[in-house]
Amino acid sequence: MSEIYSIMENAVAISQYELERGKPMPSLNHGSVQTNLVIELAPFRKKYRIATELSLDLDDWESVPDICIYPFIPLDTKNDVVTMMKPPLCAVEIISPSQSLTTLVAKANAYFKHGVQSCWLVLLGLDNIYVYTDPDNYDIFKANETLHDTKLDISFPLTEVFK
């Protein structure tokens, strides 16, 4: 009986998280791959501002990408920005266990509609990253390949991302 209660309690916690954040509950794989991507993006931090879980409000469309890449913006630690009103150059979305591919593709299309220049969809399980340069064009990079984002001039091997 306590096992059923635990499962139901966990389901309620997931729903509460999703309601509060407006996005699916992440997981160990999701969080680990997100961290690994940020580590791989670190060499580009003098050219770009890389932020995780940043709230966006783009023409009244709200979203919280897993990773945002902006042109370099100096930090002003005395005056924080809670919600960015300007689109990032790139939005990175990592599929969550409760999320469908259809939802993720629709989100990528919405990012482009709101001024994002590049969108990466990370598909766990397949260990692929789809790098979209516009809503109809993308390149697929596998775990043993080197990702190239031609719009941002970013390139790095994916060997450590899915480990």
Side-chain angles (χ1 to χ4, degrees):
M1 185 67 162
S2 64
E3 186 176 341
I4 292 172
Y5 179 76
S6 178
I7 291 169
M8 290 178 67
E9 186 179 60
N10 192 27
V12 170
I14 290 170
S15 296
Q16 187 64 29
Y17 176 94
E18 291 177 354
L19 285 173
E20 287 175 6
R21 297 292 308 268
K23 63 185 292 177
M25 174 81 105
S27 63
L28 176 62
N29 288 342
H30 183 284
S32 298
V33 167
Q34 182 172 336
T35 299
N36 292 344
L37 279 168
V38 170
I39 291 167
E40 294 300 327
L41 287 166
F44 303 96
R45 71 182 182 273
K46 289 184 180 177
K47 183 176 180 181
Y48 297 110
R49 173 61 61 200
I50 298 149
T52 62
E53 305 293 326
L54 185 59
S55 294
L56 306 178
D57 185 347
L58 309 175
D59 299 324
D60 293 326
W61 179 71
E62 296 177 357
S63 184
V64 182
D66 295 307
I67 302 171
C68 288
I69 303 173
Y70 278 91
F72 184 79
I73 306 165
L75 289 183
D76 179 356
T77 58
K78 292 181 176 73
N79 299 294
D80 204 355
V81 177
V82 176
T83 302
M84 293 293 285
M85 308 297 274
K86 186 175 179 184
L89 297 171
C90 178
V92 179
E93 289 286 352
I94 303 166
I95 198 162
S96 297
S98 63
Q99 203 170 28
S100 73
L101 179 57
T102 302
T103 301
L104 219 53
V105 171
K107 206 170 191 182
N109 288 330
Y111 283 127
F112 283 110
K113 180 180 173 192
H114 290 91
V116 172
Q117 297 176 23
S118 175
C119 187
W120 304 358
L121 301 183
V122 182
L123 300 187
L124 302 178
L126 297 177
D127 295 350
N128 291 336
I129 299 180
Y130 289 62
V131 175
Y132 281 78
T133 53
D134 64 55
D136 299 317
N137 294 297
Y138 59 85
D139 292 309
I140 304 169
F141 299 98
K142 299 176 185 172
N144 62 346
E145 296 178 338
T146 297
L147 180 143
H148 299 284
D149 184 321
T150 56
K151 287 229 172 163
L152 290 132
D153 193 27
I154 290 176
S155 184
F156 58 86
L158 294 177
T159 52
E160 298 300 316
V161 170
F162 297 102
K163 286 187 177 182

